[in-house]
């Protein structure tokens, strides 16, 4: 995604890959709102594809009301808080669906999203789906994984090289749908002209290096 104060261009794609018969990822965007959402249904649980779809649809539903121009004109709205509340609402909806249908019991999903507004961007996530930014040919990961391996990295128990090879790298410590409440990481920053943002699941980052991501994003930007 390329964002500046004058122009926002959004592209998205998803692929089932070669390991599964159905795609548990769900993506959506609304250019008019500056909204991009990526969810990765939890493959080890039932109906991950249902959880990811509920998450994306619920967040869009919640934020469309908040971002309505008439609503903004009559109320002072803190967009960071609105994003956090929208993700918490999605968590509630996933839990409600699981209670109402035993086939959905135990389902969950990660979430990562961005909201571009004026010359700023709000990013939020739960789980190990990520947001990156390419600025001046330097790639920076803007999110921190909610995963067992990340905790071990932070505490010095693993090196970066060991983390990449760890059998536990897909064990996440936060997700939507696994508890009644969820802690959401939200941050905001200023967008610079020429920035390229990418939101992705571990289906990309488990297979593609940072250097390869930089090459792909440079090709897109050119």
């Amino acid at each position: 995604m390329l964002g500046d104060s004058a122009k926002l261009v959004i592209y998205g794609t998803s692929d089932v890959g070669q390991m599964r018969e159905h795609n548990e990822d769900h993506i959506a965007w609304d250019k008019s709102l500056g909204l991009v959402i990526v969810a990765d249904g939890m493959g080890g649980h039932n109906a991950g594809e249902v959880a990811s779809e509920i998450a994306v649809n619920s967040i869009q539903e919640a934020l469309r009301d908040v971002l309505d121009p008439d609503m903004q004109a009559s109320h002072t709205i803190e967009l960071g808080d609105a994003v956090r509340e929208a993700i918490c609402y999605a968590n509630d909806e996933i839990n409600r669906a699981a209670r109402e249908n035993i086939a959905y019991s135990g389902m969950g999903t990660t979430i990562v999203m961005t909201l571009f507004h004026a010359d700023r961007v709000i990013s939020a996530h739960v789980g190990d789906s990520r947001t990156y930014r390419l600025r001046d040919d330097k790639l920076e990961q803007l999110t921190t994984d909610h995963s067992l391996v990340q905790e071990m990295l932070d505490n010095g128990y693993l090196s970066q090289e060991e983390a990449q090879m760890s059998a536990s790298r897909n064990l996440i410590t936060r997700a939507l749908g696994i508890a009644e409440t969820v802690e959401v990481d939200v941050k905001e920053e200023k967008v610079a002209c020429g920035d390229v943002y990418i939101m992705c699941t571990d289906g990309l980052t488990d297979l593609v290096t940072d250097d390869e991501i930089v090459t792909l994003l440079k090709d897109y930007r050119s």
Side-chain angles (χ1 to χ4, degrees):
M1 276 64 70
L2 174 65
D4 58 59
S5 60
K7 184 179 182 182
L8 176 66
V9 179
I10 303 171
Y11 293 105
T13 187
S14 182
D15 190 280
V16 68
Q18 300 179 355
M19 300 296 292
R20 295 177 180 168
E21 295 182 355
H22 59 282
N23 193 344
E24 295 188 327
D25 296 347
H26 201 78
I27 64 174
W29 61 86
D30 187 328
K31 184 177 177 180
S32 67
L33 300 179
L35 178 64
V36 186
I37 312 171
V38 177
D40 180 4
M42 293 166 64
H45 293 252
N46 296 328
E49 68 276 15
V50 175
S52 62
E53 183 174 6
I54 291 174
V56 169
N57 291 343
S58 298
I59 291 169
Q60 288 186 101
E61 175 189 340
L63 288 179
R64 279 182 179 137
D65 290 340
V66 170
L67 298 173
D68 180 273
D70 293 334
M71 179 74 74
Q72 292 188 54
S74 57
H75 297 82
T76 300
I77 300 171
E78 174 52 57
L79 292 181
D81 291 341
V83 165
R84 180 178 285 104
E85 290 173 6
I87 294 176
C88 290
Y89 169 65
N91 187 64
D92 292 341
E93 289 297 288
I94 293 168
N95 283 318
R96 181 184 61 78
R99 289 193 300 269
E100 294 176 353
N101 188 334
I102 193 170
Y104 296 160
S105 179
M107 68 180 177
T109 184
T110 70
I111 199 77
V112 63
M113 60 161 290
T114 52
L115 177 63
F116 294 90
H117 61 103
D119 62 347
R120 305 189 69 80
V121 60
I122 295 171
S123 60
H125 79 293
V126 177
D128 62 355
S129 293
R130 298 175 178 176
T131 297
Y132 291 88
R133 181 194 64 210
L134 182 68
R135 174 179 289 173
D136 298 329
D137 295 334
K138 179 182 178 181
L139 185 71
E140 182 179 355
Q141 183 179 328
L142 300 182
T143 54
T144 300
D145 293 350
H146 303 138
S147 68
L148 179 60
V149 163
Q150 185 63 52
E151 290 185 0
M152 295 176 74
L153 268 171
D154 292 343
N155 290 316
Y157 297 126
L158 288 178
S159 67
Q160 190 66 51
E161 293 74 19
E162 290 170 332
Q164 291 172 348
M165 301 299 294
S166 173
S168 302
R169 65 184 182 276
N170 297 124
L171 297 179
I172 59 177
T173 56
R174 291 191 217 171
L176 302 187
I178 63 173
E180 289 301 310
T181 61
V182 64
E183 184 179 354
V184 185
D185 286 0
V186 180
K187 64 191 301 184
E188 183 172 1
E189 65 170 27
K190 190 169 183 178
V191 176
C193 182
D195 280 353
V196 180
Y197 290 82
I198 181 169
M199 276 131 275
C200 60
T201 71
D202 62 356
L204 176 68
T205 53
D206 278 354
L207 300 173
V208 180
T209 67
D210 284 1
D211 287 343
E212 289 171 321
I213 291 175
V214 170
T215 298
L216 291 169
L217 292 180
K218 285 182 179 179
D219 289 344
Y220 160 71
R221 188 173 57 183
S222 61

